[in-house]
Amino acid sequence: MKALRVVMKKELDRVFHDKKLVFSLFILPAVMMIALYGLMGMLAGQMMADIAEHESIVYVVNAPSDFKNLVLEDSDLVWNDAAADQVTALKEEVRAGEADLMIVFPEQFSESVANFQAGDPVPEIKTYYNPADDYSSNARDIFGEYYFPEYEEQLLKERFSDLSVLTPFVVDSAEGQEEESSIVTNEGQAEGQFLGMLFPYLIVMLLFTGPMSLGVDAIAGEKERGTLASMLITPAPRRDIVLGKLFSLEILSFLSAIVYALSMIIAIPFLAGDLTSSASGVKSLVNVTSVLEIILVMVALVFLYVAVVATLSVRAKSIKEASSTVSVIYILVVVAGVMTMFSGNTDPALWRYEIPVYGSALCIQKVITGGLTLPAFLVSTLVTLALGAVLTWMITRAFDDERVVMNA
Amino acid sequence: MLYWYHPINPTGGSCLHEEIMIEIQNLTKIYKLNKKQMAEQKTKNALKVAVDDLSLSLKPGEIYGLLGPNGAGKTTTLRCIATLLKPTEGHITVGGYDTIKDSAKVRRQIGFLTNDIKLDPQFSPAYLIRFFGQLHGLDDETIRRRQEELFTYFGIHDFENKKVDELSTGMKQKAAIAVSLVHDPDIIIFDEPTSGLDIITARGVTDYLKEMKNAGKIVLISTHIMSEAEKLCDRIGIIINGRKVCEGTLAQILAETHAQDLEDAFFHLYTTHGHLEEEGGAFR
């Protein structure tokens, strides 16, 4: 066991005594993630502010006066009345970005509405906008979501005076009582939905990046450089050499994953532009049981990942060969993570938790959304640990095989 | 193939068995080639005999040199002694321990150095000698003492805290030698120990090996530098195509081959026993 500690210490020293490696493994990813998400959030915020500040240029053909009054009393957009023969030219202006929106009312629109009889054709208002242009798209959204519905309501009131005749029932409309009357959920469950979709994918994927970068070099790299054999000619048990390497890789990978996860938690609010919404989601994670469950799932997963990467690396004849095979596994890991994003709200069958990686991702998801059962947790964790143990045993056996360690 | 082998006893008498520290009996090592290796070596035979029925006995207080062209089987033989490879046939005992059954005890007794086993480039010689000392189970005081002795002898103090990656070839070789000897082994097995070294460093290494011999240790080296073998080795074994074709002191080999020097003797044996074909290959 002394040799195991000695090998483990050396592998940890390899990283922690190298300032550049510490920076690139633990600090740079965190800084990059926060900076990147912050930049994306800032740019998105600037874009939204720019759109909000923009005065929409709208051309309206055959505009009813009541509609014009409705819009202009509540808006600072640039209103232009246009004639029917300008439609073709104005379409080109919208396409060119010189105008944001053109609205064409049919001739005699107000009369058609006022004299409407059952069976008559319903008057149609046409809008012309450019979905590829943010200003144009935003102008269309404002009219579509606000002015048209309001104008429609105004006309209906004129037609029916009491709109209740058109409303057989309402759903959850009691203002101020929505949260009490409608929402029945565990504390944090609703807020956890967003993180529950995002986090499993990120954790199972990010946990793999540590073993992928460090494990290939620590085993295939050492084989290729001839430095592994220098340890094999000492009396240290080969099992200790293997386990020393694997344990140190697990520690480093776990630390790396923690850094990534914390960076993500810090960075997401910058991206979302709303510090409170994600922070409230994170609250759902902050209780002892949830944290312990997630940590145990992560530890088991790191154990498996390191064993997988080490198995492939020890069998590979070069770093290049190891990297290419590990990349294939990485794709499978990403697929398993993505699958949980679309697993819906149903409770997965217990057998799904038996699938390595996917089962762990499901566990993380259920911890966050508050639906993890003990059997599911045990099945997933034990399967992951068992598979990792089998692979670790295979690696220790491989270290006794000269064809593997000496490429003989 | 003509096989010509005259075992020559340098002492003219029988060796005391209990003195023998390395005993190789009928060592044969056969590699299985994969398709890529078969294509590289232009052969249709999936089996390559690297060492063929080799027997050797080494006693304390002697320097034994294995001589042979590239691909003759020198390094494979040394790797089998060092327990890195398992014999396909035959047995090897080191200090009375079998290299298969008691491999850890064998490794405890040997200091092994070969060109394709390297020091980790990310660490300094000072770190590595401590690391390997710990792997050999030495206490801190012993490691400090051995570090001081070896670093002083080989002049490593000046660069002891530099990363191996930043060292010159000669510095790396000195550091590798020092690290391989940290546990003061009774048996020193060096594969081409002066390869790539300047003349002064090479002389320092050969002088050290002589000191080890005088201290009663066994020194086994492989080399293809004839002058080094002439000056350094008490006995020389010449291996061609995996087989030992001649063994003895320099004088005995010269007398046996009617040659003026070892180089002539080697060429004589090579033309008699070797296939004058390509040198090198995937296995040595």
Side-chain angles (χ1 to χ4, degrees):
Chain A
M1 290 302 282
K2 190 190 171 191
L4 188 153
R5 285 199 302 274
V6 170
V7 173
M8 207 166 122
K9 181 176 179 303
K10 183 195 169 209
E11 294 299 321
L12 294 174
D13 284 346
R14 181 198 302 281
V15 173
F16 290 116
H17 284 191
D18 188 334
K19 288 174 188 166
K20 284 182 188 168
L21 209 51
V22 169
F23 182 75
S24 63
L25 262 179
F26 300 115
I27 298 172
L28 188 62
V31 171
M32 286 293 289
M33 195 170 288
I34 293 168
L36 193 67
Y37 279 32
L39 183 68
M40 285 164 66
M42 191 182 76
L43 292 176
Q46 280 180 353
M47 193 176 78
M48 297 301 286
D50 180 52
I51 292 170
E53 284 172 14
H54 173 72
E55 287 187 349
S56 300
I57 302 166
V58 181
Y59 286 87
V60 189
V61 178
N62 299 327
S65 56
D66 51 353
F67 180 68
K68 186 175 180 180
N69 294 337
L70 171 78
V71 172
L72 290 181
E73 79 181 13
D74 186 36
S75 172
D76 51 2
L77 57 76
V78 180
W79 177 286
N80 298 291
D81 289 306
D85 60 359
Q86 288 180 279
V87 167
T88 307
L90 287 171
K91 273 187 191 173
E92 284 309 311
E93 284 196 26
V94 171
R95 198 193 310 275
E98 291 163 11
D100 297 320
L101 177 68
M102 176 171 64
I103 302 169
V104 180
F105 284 82
E107 288 181 10
Q108 309 298 325
F109 173 80
S110 298
E111 289 75 7
S112 299
V113 171
N115 302 324
F116 181 81
Q117 298 292 321
D120 287 353
V122 177
E124 183 186 7
I125 305 167
K126 294 282 291 181
T127 63
Y128 298 91
Y129 73 107
N130 181 357
D133 184 320
D134 290 333
Y135 295 153
S136 178
S137 201
N138 184 55
R140 173 64 176 80
D141 287 346
I142 290 171
F143 275 85
E145 291 167 17
Y146 182 67
Y147 293 123
F148 288 141
E150 195 161 324
Y151 185 50
E152 185 181 28
E153 191 176 321
Q154 184 179 310
L155 295 180
L156 283 171
K157 273 181 183 170
E158 287 171 11
R159 188 178 292 177
F160 296 103
S161 67
D162 182 4
L163 288 184
S164 298
V165 298
L166 297 172
T167 313
F169 60 84
V170 295
V171 179
D172 295 336
S173 71
E175 284 184 21
Q177 293 178 21
E178 278 178 293
E179 287 185 17
E180 280 181 48
S181 60
S182 302
I183 299 172
V184 181
T185 179
N186 293 331
E187 190 180 353
Q189 195 171 19
E191 293 90 341
Q193 286 295 335
F194 170 67
L195 291 177
M197 194 173 86
L198 190 66
F199 249 54
Y201 164 67
L202 290 174
I203 288 178
V204 296
M205 186 186 71
L206 294 177
L207 274 179
F208 199 79
T209 55
M212 190 161 71
S213 60
L214 295 167
V216 168
D217 184 71
I219 302 204
E222 286 231 49
K223 265 177 72 177
E224 190 172 295
R225 291 190 293 270
T227 50
L228 184 64
S230 64
M231 280 190 270
L232 301 180
I233 52 172
T234 68
R238 291 185 175 177
R239 184 196 64 241
D240 286 10
I241 295 172
V242 177
L243 294 179
K245 278 186 164 289
L246 296 188
F247 287 166
S248 59
L249 278 174
E250 282 155 16
I251 291 170
L252 292 168
S253 303
F254 194 73
L255 286 176
S256 168
I258 293 285
V259 167
Y260 271 113
L262 288 177
S263 312
M264 197 74 69
I265 290 170
I266 295 168
I268 283 172
F270 288 109
L271 180 65
D274 179 359
L275 286 163
T276 54
S277 64
S278 284
S280 65
V282 174
K283 276 183 200 167
S284 65
L285 296 173
V286 186
N287 70 64
V288 177
T289 313
S290 301
V291 169
L292 271 178
E293 283 171 338
I294 286 186
I295 286 176
L296 284 173
V297 171
M298 284 173 71
V299 167
L301 206 50
V302 164
F303 178 60
L304 176 63
Y305 282 166
V306 167
V308 168
V309 171
T311 303
L312 297 174
S313 298
V314 84
R315 295 272 164 193
K317 288 192 179 349
S318 64
I319 293 179
K320 192 178 169 190
E321 187 183 327
S323 298
S324 58
T325 49
V326 167
S327 300
V328 174
I329 300 295
Y330 182 59
I331 292 168
L332 295 177
V333 165
V334 170
V335 169
V338 168
M339 279 167 67
T340 57
M341 292 179 82
F342 305 105
S343 63
N345 289 326
T346 55
D347 279 332
L350 198 59
W351 66 265
R352 290 197 181 197
Y353 289 90
E354 293 171 11
I355 302 170
V357 184
Y358 175 63
S360 303
L362 281 178
C363 275
I364 296 167
Q365 187 180 49
K366 292 299 171 190
V367 169
I368 294 167
T369 55
L372 182 65
T373 62
L374 185 63
F377 172 71
L378 288 177
V379 163
S380 167
T381 309
L382 290 178
V383 166
T384 305
L385 288 173
L387 185 58
V390 169
L391 290 174
T392 303
W393 176 77
M394 285 169 61
I395 298 162
T396 54
R397 298 276 297 173
F399 263 59
D400 284 325
D401 185 344
E402 66 188 32
R403 285 171 302 177
V404 172
V405 290
M406 299 301 295
N407 287 342
Chain B
M1 184 181 75
L2 179 64
Y3 180 62
W4 179 51
Y5 166 49
H6 295 286
I8 302 162
N9 189 330
T11 58
S14 63
C15 297
L16 293 174
H17 184 73
E18 57 270 23
E19 277 192 343
I20 295 171
M21 291 284 285
I22 296 180
E23 176 116 50
I24 301 175
Q25 294 175 331
N26 309 107
L27 170 67
T28 296
K29 181 64 187 176
I30 300 172
Y31 292 113
K32 285 180 187 167
L33 304 182
N34 58 34
K35 286 182 181 172
K36 188 181 172 191
Q37 289 167 328
M38 286 164 66
E40 282 170 358
Q41 298 188 29
K42 295 173 184 170
T43 176
K44 291 181 178 176
N45 193 347
L47 298 177
K48 176 173 173 76
V49 180
V51 181
D52 187 2
D53 199 30
L54 181 89
S55 294
L56 283 180
S57 295
L58 278 73
K59 298 177 297 158
E62 74 167 339
I63 299 178
Y64 189 102
L66 272 181
L67 232 65
N70 289 343
K74 304 185 299 288
T75 301
T76 296
T77 303
L78 300 187
R79 283 181 172 186
C80 286
I81 299 170
T83 77
L84 288 172
L85 298 175
K86 292 178 178 137
T88 310
E89 288 174 22
H91 297 281
I92 304 172
T93 56
V94 176
Y97 295 112
D98 186 272
T99 53
I100 302 296
K101 293 174 188 162
D102 300 304
S103 58
K105 287 174 180 165
V106 170
R107 291 196 289 269
R108 202 174 290 283
Q109 297 184 71
I110 61 171
F112 184 70
L113 183 74
T114 176
N115 285 332
D116 49 8
I117 295 179
K118 296 190 173 68
L119 295 179
D120 201 319
Q122 281 183 269
F123 293 95
S124 67
Y127 186 98
L128 289 170
I129 200 165
R130 182 175 166 74
F131 171 70
F132 282 100
Q134 288 174 330
L135 284 187
H136 277 282
L138 305 182
D139 59 63
D140 288 350
E141 180 50 39
T142 308
I143 294 172
R144 263 195 295 274
R145 181 174 51 75
R146 287 294 293 164
Q147 179 178 345
E148 182 58 32
E149 286 170 9
L150 291 163
F151 280 20
T152 302
Y153 187 91
F154 290 107
I156 296 173
H157 281 302
D158 289 344
F159 55 88
E160 66 179 18
N161 290 316
K162 270 189 166 184
K163 281 185 181 179
V164 169
D165 202 27
E166 298 164 2
L167 304 181
S168 67
T169 307
M171 289 171 174
K172 283 179 186 166
Q173 183 75 340
K174 285 181 189 177
I177 290 171
V179 166
S180 71
L181 298 173
V182 62
H183 55 302
D184 198 11
D186 290 330
I187 298 161
I188 296 165
I189 303 171
F190 281 0
D191 187 11
E192 316 259 0
T194 58
S195 173
L197 297 184
D198 63 63
I199 192 162
I200 297 165
T201 313
R203 180 63 180 264
V205 172
T206 54
D207 285 350
Y208 188 80
L209 294 177
K210 284 178 188 169
E211 280 186 32
M212 292 298 98
K213 166 201 157 182
N214 293 335
K217 298 175 189 293
I218 285 183
V219 179
L220 170 59
I221 64 164
S222 79
T223 183
H224 53 241
I225 305 172
M226 301 297 160
S227 58
E228 186 175 87
E230 281 177 341
K231 289 176 188 169
L232 189 62
C233 299
D234 298 307
R235 283 196 299 151
I236 295 165
I238 297 176
I239 301 181
I240 293 171
N241 290 333
R243 310 197 86 180
K244 186 172 75 176
V245 296
C246 188
E247 183 184 56
T249 62
L250 176 63
Q252 287 167 329
I253 290 173
L254 295 183
E256 202 66 49
T257 55
H258 308 291
Q260 296 294 313
D261 55 28
L262 188 57
E263 191 171 302
D264 287 342
F266 181 80
F267 269 98
H268 175 75
L269 292 167
Y270 190 67
T271 51
T272 308
H273 299 283
H275 302 287
L276 283 173
E277 52 191 37
E278 79 292 340
E279 291 191 347
F283 304 108
R284 283 187 294 147

